[in-house]
Amino acid sequence: MIKCEMGHSYKVAQLAADTIEELSELHSTSGQYDLLGKFYLESDQDTGLFVTEKLQTIPGVKDTYTLITFNAFVSSRG
């Protein structure tokens, strides 16, 4: 999750979409954070380094909140 400087969320989103190849999805949100991003990292890739070097260095990013997921579940209903 990414919190942006006031008035910068669309610029941050576009820059992230254009420059971060690990980005799968990026959504604008309402509430405490402005953007919700889904990134796929290689198993040997350092998550902390990715966040601090690729996300937090984007101009207009004020704060980040990282959640690491483990499994994706889907319905078994036909």
Side-chain angles (χ1 to χ4, degrees), residues 48 50-59 61 63-66:
F50 171 80
V51 170
T52 58
E53 289 187 350
K54 292 206 177 176
L55 293 178
Q56 293 178 345
T57 58
I58 296 173
V61 170
D63 189 21
T64 59
Y65 180 80
T66 303

Side-chain angles (χ1 to χ4, degrees), residues 24-38:
S24 171
E25 300 174 31
L26 190 59
H27 301 269
S28 57
T29 61
S30 63
Q32 186 175 358
Y33 289 86
D34 303 300
L35 301 170
L36 172 64
K38 184 177 183 180

